Amino acid sequence: MKVLAIDTSNEVLGVSLADDHVVLAEYMTNLRKNHSVRVMPAVQEVMVACGIKPAELDKIVVAKGPGSYTGIRIGVTIAKTMAWSLQIPLAGVSSLKLLAASGRYFDGYISPLFDARRGRIYTGLYRYENGILQTAVEDCNISSAEWGTRLSALGAPVLLIGQHVALHQAVLAEKLGDKMTVADWTLHNPRPGELARLGMDEPGAEIHTFVPNYIRLVEAEAKWLEKHKRESH
């Protein structure tokens, strides 16, 4: 099975191509540049390097959020368009689960996180069981202080992973103490090869109704709903 994986949900732009259980190619950058301009050339570069034509692909996998609203939309739109035009399955994978996958050898819980501003984070809780990444707490948007309290109640080792850990590390450390471990800096970027692996066996989604997982409404949508709610009364 030839799988193309695309992640534009945060600062990292990642594209990978896997064939069954072999990662043929990975393209990854961690740059504050426009994903909309760079992602398709990255896809083309990976495909050409591997000598694989679009018609040979069996599945598209995309990181579906949470993260940057614009970034998520870019990746999901491209993935849906390719899957529809090629008539192949599309699978979405949590961007947080993708990040947590890099903590494979940690003996405890894994808490991936992205900054959600104003002291809040996008996070969830994961753990490897018999080599399979399991979800312990579903992805959520929560204050870092409250999350630290919830993690402390576990009484178990927790690995924090993600580029934005440093922004919330002091608050979380105050709650977790010596139960907290911060992943090595080389692990903070989600690997597109892991995305292909996570999505390879996921069931195909209904392409036309597949939507990103923002976790919370974008500000414009929230204001629109509030306005129309007031007008309806």
Side-chain angles (χ1 to χ4, degrees):
M1 175 183 283
K2 294 180 176 63
V3 176
L4 176 70
I6 300 170
D7 178 18
T8 60
S9 58
N10 286 280
E11 288 95 336
V12 171
L13 185 156
V15 175
S16 71
L17 189 61
D19 190 357
D20 289 329
H21 296 136
V22 176
V23 177
L24 299 179
E26 282 186 300
Y27 178 102
M28 184 171 68
T29 61
N30 180 20
L31 303 170
R32 288 186 176 275
K33 292 187 177 181
N34 195 335
H35 290 343
S36 64
V37 174
R38 302 170 58 240
V39 63
M40 284 310 297
V43 169
Q44 182 179 24
E45 181 177 337
V46 166
M47 299 282 289
V48 170
C50 295
I52 292 177
K53 299 177 180 178
E56 297 177 78
L57 293 173
D58 298 299
K59 192 173 193 177
I60 306 290
V61 178
V62 65
K64 63 180 182 180
S68 160
Y69 298 131
T70 301
I72 296 168
R73 284 194 289 268
I74 291 168
V76 167
T77 299
I78 289 172
K80 289 178 67 170
T81 302
M82 291 188 68
W84 180 81
S85 62
L86 296 170
Q87 294 296 291
I88 57 177
L90 167 70
V93 173
S94 160
S95 301
L96 287 165
K97 185 174 185 179
L98 168 59
L99 184 55
S102 296
R104 178 174 287 104
Y105 301 110
F106 183 75
D107 185 17
Y109 291 100
I110 306 164
S111 178
L113 68 84
F114 304 130
D115 181 51
R117 300 181 182 179
R118 300 188 179 102
R120 301 183 69 86
I121 55 176
Y122 296 115
T123 189
L125 200 61
Y126 296 85
R127 189 168 195 167
Y128 275 97
E129 296 178 6
N130 299 317
I132 299 174
L133 188 59
Q134 302 287 356
T135 303
V137 176
E138 294 290 340
D139 297 349
C140 58
N141 181 307
I142 189 172
S143 74
S144 53
E146 183 180 348
W147 186 242
T149 298
R150 292 182 63 179
L151 293 180
S152 178
L154 295 171
V158 177
L159 177 71
L160 301 179
I161 187 168
Q163 296 176 15
H164 303 151
V165 167
L167 298 176
H168 303 273
Q169 187 170 337
V171 173
L172 292 167
E174 184 178 340
K175 305 286 186 177
L176 286 168
D178 60 5
K179 294 293 183 181
M180 185 182 88
T181 299
V182 176
D184 187 80
W185 62 276
T186 58
L187 297 178
H188 288 318
N189 292 346
R191 289 278 304 275
E194 291 282 6
L195 179 58
R197 182 182 67 84
L198 289 170
M200 187 169 289
D201 297 323
E202 287 290 314
E206 167 51 51
I207 293 175
H208 294 296
T209 58
F210 181 86
V211 293
N213 179 21
Y214 297 119
I215 292 186
R216 67 177 180 183
L217 294 174
V218 296
E219 186 175 359
E221 291 173 318
K223 288 182 178 178
W224 186 90
L225 287 173
E226 180 62 28
K227 176 184 176 182
H228 284 265
K229 180 180 178 181
R230 291 197 303 267
E231 290 175 351
S232 65
H233 291 291

